[in-house]
């Protein structure tokens, strides 16, 4: 992970460490946000903590517990926390109470809490003579909880889009034959992504060409782990006696998203007789209304995150619909150089750069020999300017 530390001020470096800790809990904190905290004394980190799982201690209390174990005098410390300390009684007591009980004199907050129920911690601490600073690495800290923000502001599942390509933007050669693009380390990282979502989404072409299992093949999965459900977006439903893995071996888990007419046909009914869910989605100006599908996954199946691993057209559909909440992109250091190769994105119809869908880099890190880049949708109030041909 890279938070551009070399150019950071001290407070930013400490907050960057808290952000790294926050990510350690991402796989188990939902529907809570992932949060990290560090305790600093005389310019050194003396204790750390993060929210490890939903229902467990919040990051602040984990950090305080770590400081207690180490015999740290917290009355001489500053706490750095990526999200505003909560000020309400939920599954755990307010973190503001713990901070006040320990006499921590200064708290630095990355982002304010978007949840109105839990917010107000900053004001409460200030009223009790604690020095509080806010907005340190705010954008980075908000990115940590982008899934939580979606859950708070919409009724749908959070959508992660995973793509891997060569340097020239190809995911396969002209034949479309399935071949590895990225390295083994990136493949292992994708298994981690599959472990934190409730559904893996692909298109019909991927289904018929690759016959994927769409399971998480990560080592040492917990006993309570439930495999993500396969979700296939297609207007061409397979027959109920198909040998496809999603139909034959995962029929009780598989969901097909298709148009409403196809969903009312005989093929769809035969699939339903086998235990497969077939959902008809309405059309909108962008094509099938994928948002309705994401809302159904959350309301009917309790799925909070999805991972789209479809081809270029399905990926572009998520982008065009404003449903690519997070783009995880594996850039392989190789060049195909064949104009007829399969592009990583396709089907938008855009003709000028002014029509392009814009993203921003949230963070990046090596993934074996690949470069893993996390993109988030660019803020709507940001306007790109530049000059020249392809040099802006």
């Amino acid at each position: 992970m890279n938070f551009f530390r070399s150019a950071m001020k001290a407070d930013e470096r400490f907050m960057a460490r808290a952000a790294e800790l926050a990510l350690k809990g991402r796989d188990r904190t939902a529907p809570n946000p992932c949060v990290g905290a560090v305790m600093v004394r005389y310019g050194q980190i003396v204790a750390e903590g993060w929210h490890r799982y939903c229902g467990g201690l919040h990051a602040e209390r984990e950090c305080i517990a770590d400081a207690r174990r180490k015999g740290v005098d917290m009355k001489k410390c500053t706490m750095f926390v990526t999200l505003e300390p909560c000020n309400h009684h939920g599954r755990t007591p307010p973190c503001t109470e713990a901070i006040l009980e320990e006499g921590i004199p200064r708290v630095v907050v990355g982002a304010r809490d978007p949840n109105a129920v839990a917010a107000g911690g900053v004001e409460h601490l200030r009223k009790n003579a604690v020095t509080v600073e806010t907005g340190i690495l705010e954008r980075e800290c908000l990115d940590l909880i982008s899934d939580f923000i979606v859950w708070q502001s919409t009724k749908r599942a959070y959508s992660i889009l995973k793509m891997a390509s060569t340097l020239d933007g190809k995911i396969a050669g002209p034949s479309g034959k399935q071949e590895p693009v990225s390295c083994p380390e990136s493949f292992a990282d994708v298994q981690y992504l599959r472990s934190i979502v409730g559904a893996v989404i692909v298109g019909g072409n991927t289904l018929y060409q690759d016959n994927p299992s769409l399971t998480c093949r990560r080592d040492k999965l917990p006993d309570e782990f439930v495999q993500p459900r396969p979700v296939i977006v297609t207007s061409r439903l397979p027959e109920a006696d198909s040998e496809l893995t999603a139909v034959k071996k995962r029929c009780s888990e598989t969901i097909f998203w298709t148009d409403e007419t196809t969903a009312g046909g005989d093929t769809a009914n035969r699939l339903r007789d086998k235990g497969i869910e077939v959902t008809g989605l309405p059309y909108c100006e962008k094509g099938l209304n994928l948002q309705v599908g994401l809302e159904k996954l959350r309301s009917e199946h309790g799925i909070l995150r999805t991972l789209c691993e479809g081809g270029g057209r399905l990926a572009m559909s998520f982008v065009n619909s404003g449903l690519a909440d997070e783009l995880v992109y594996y850039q392989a250091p190789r060049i195909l150089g064949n104009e007829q190769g399969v592009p990583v994105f396709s089907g938008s119809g855009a003709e000028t750069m002014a029509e392009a869908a814009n993203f921003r880099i949230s963070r990046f890190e090596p993934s074996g020999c690949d470069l893993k880049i996390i993109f988030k949708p660019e803020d709507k109030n940001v306007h790109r300017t530049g000059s020249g041909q392809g040099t802006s």
Side-chain angles (χ1 to χ4, degrees), residues 21 37-41 44-50 52 57-80 98-99 101-105:
L21 293 169
V38 298
M39 198 83 70
V40 175
R41 181 179 179 183
Q44 300 293 324
I45 294 176
V46 294
E48 297 182 333
W50 65 93
R52 296 173 183 269
L57 292 178
H58 287 186
E60 299 92 328
R61 289 183 177 271
E62 284 277 2
C63 188
I64 287 171
D66 187 39
R68 285 175 180 165
R69 286 190 295 269
K70 295 173 178 176
V72 173
D73 181 3
M74 285 175 269
K75 293 180 175 63
K76 299 179 181 179
C77 292
T78 295
M79 174 181 281
F80 290 78
I99 291 169
E101 287 169 1
E102 298 299 333
I104 300 170

Side-chain angles (χ1 to χ4, degrees), residues 162-164 182-197 200 215-218 307 309 328 330 367 372:
K162 185 276 295 182
M163 303 299 286
S182 50
C183 65
E185 289 86 350
S186 294
F187 174 83
D189 195 63
V190 171
Q191 301 310 305
Y192 163 74
L193 289 176
R194 288 186 179 186
S195 77
I196 68 169
V197 301
V200 178
T215 56
C216 174
R217 298 185 288 281
R218 193 181 184 192
L307 177 64
E309 296 189 40
V328 181
Y330 299 93
S367 178
K372 176 186 175 183

Side-chain angles (χ1 to χ4, degrees), residues 84-87 96 100 109 112-113 116 118-132 134:
E84 177 181 13
C86 65
N87 194 42
T96 52
L100 294 173
V109 174
R112 299 296 295 266
D113 197 325
V122 166
E123 289 75 16
H124 183 70
L125 291 173
R126 285 173 174 164
K127 286 179 182 178
N128 286 273
V130 177
T131 300
V132 182
T134 62

Side-chain angles (χ1 to χ4, degrees), residues 26 30 142-161 193 196-199 201 294-295 297-298 303-308 318 323-328 362-363 374-377:
R26 192 185 187 194
L142 285 172
D143 282 354
L144 289 172
I145 61 167
S146 55
D147 49 8
F148 181 68
I149 293 172
V150 166
W151 301 330
Q152 290 288 312
S153 59
T154 76
K155 297 180 180 179
R156 63 176 176 83
Y158 180 79
S159 174
I160 302 171
L161 178 59
L193 289 176
I196 68 169
V197 301
I201 305 173
L294 292 174
E295 289 175 351
L297 288 180
R298 182 173 172 184
I303 291 174
L304 292 172
R305 297 190 190 105
T306 64
L307 177 64
C308 177
F318 271 85
L323 297 173
D325 300 310
E326 179 175 328
L327 171 55
V328 181
S362 175
R363 60 183 190 275
I374 308 297
F375 294 95
K376 297 293 174 81

Side-chain angles (χ1 to χ4, degrees), residues 237-241 247 251-281 296 300:
L237 296 176
E239 293 296 332
D241 60 356
V247 176
C251 56
S252 63
E253 306 160 87
T254 297
I255 300 172
F256 281 97
W257 288 352
T258 188
D259 60 272
E260 292 175 315
T261 300
T262 303
D266 292 339
T267 301
N269 289 330
R270 286 192 291 270
L271 289 171
R272 291 189 183 102
D273 289 341
K274 193 170 182 175
I276 294 173
E277 181 177 321
V278 181
T279 299
L281 301 181
K296 285 181 176 292
E300 297 177 8

Side-chain angles (χ1 to χ4, degrees), residues 3-4 8 19 136-145 362:
F3 284 103
F4 308 100
M8 286 181 175
I136 305 300
L137 295 189
E138 181 178 27
R139 169 48 64 193
E140 290 84 349
C141 292
L142 285 172
D143 282 354
L144 289 172
I145 61 167
S362 175

